[in-house]
Structure formats: structure tokens, C-alpha cells
Amino acid sequence: MTSLFGFNNLTTLGLTEIMGGTPQTVPLIYQNASPVNFASSDDPPTIFFHGETDQVVPISQSERLETALKNAQIKHEFVRVPNQGHGFTAETNAALLIQANTFFGDF
């Protein structure tokens, strides 16, 4: 979460409000809110999607999560969604739900 802070004004203001401060004023809250800090081998399989044109959360956040999941040897799938931002179109959403269902159908 610390690396997300400062991405843009919306993200900075939102995180400051949600976390009750900045990474400098409440560092433990930011650390405890970051999933990358808690990935462990006993975590469940995970699939996540990130729009490649997201202007709210940079795709680097999902790349960092993918690295943490790989390092913890957690079965996962990270899907980059081309031409989509922070939210997806209804058509894209439907396709991604099918993909998630297929992923979890293996377990």
C-alpha cells in the first residue's frame, strides 16, 4: 500500500482517508493493509484481474502481488485485461467471471 500512495491525487486522498494518515504518519497501518506482506503457502488459490489502462491503481500493484504469490508458491492466475480501466465493461465482466469459474472449477 505504501508504493500505491502518491500514484495520483485520487489515490493519495483516498488512502489518506481510509488509512487515517499517510505512510509516514501511520506506517504500520499501511504495512498491515498490504496483502503482499501476508502471502503464505497455506493461502487458497487466487485469481485476479487488472485493467491495463487503470488510472486508479497502477498495474504494478498486481505485478507485486503476483510476485508475492509466486514466492509463496500459491496457485494463482493474474490476468491483464487490455483496454480496460479500474472497472470493466459488462461484456468483459461476464467473460472474466467465466474465466474465474474455470479457474476455481479445478479445485
Side-chain angles (χ1 to χ4, degrees):
M1 297 300 274
T2 300
S3 66
L4 177 58
F5 189 85
F7 175 62
N8 61 33
N9 286 338
L10 175 65
T11 304
T12 299
L13 292 172
L15 283 174
T16 301
E17 182 67 25
I18 291 167
M19 302 294 198
T22 69
Q24 294 75 29
T25 60
V26 291
L28 191 57
I29 291 175
Y30 278 79
Q31 181 180 3
N32 288 336
S34 297
V36 297
N37 295 329
F38 299 97
S40 65
S41 60
D42 60 346
D43 286 345
T46 303
I47 186 170
F48 54 106
F49 309 95
H50 200 121
E52 290 183 339
T53 60
D54 192 331
Q55 296 298 307
V56 178
V57 177
I59 201 160
S60 61
Q61 292 293 300
S62 286
E63 292 166 345
R64 291 182 68 170
L65 179 58
E66 181 181 38
T67 297
L69 296 174
K70 279 182 183 177
N71 290 342
Q73 299 181 332
I74 298 166
K75 174 127 174 106
H76 70 281
E77 188 173 330
F78 166 36
V79 179
R80 295 168 177 266
V81 185
N83 305 314
Q84 298 287 298
H86 194 67
F88 306 129
T89 64
E91 181 179 313
T92 299
N93 223 14
L96 296 178
L97 287 172
I98 291 168
Q99 192 169 352
N101 188 50
T102 300
F103 175 81
F104 287 115
D106 294 338
F107 303 100

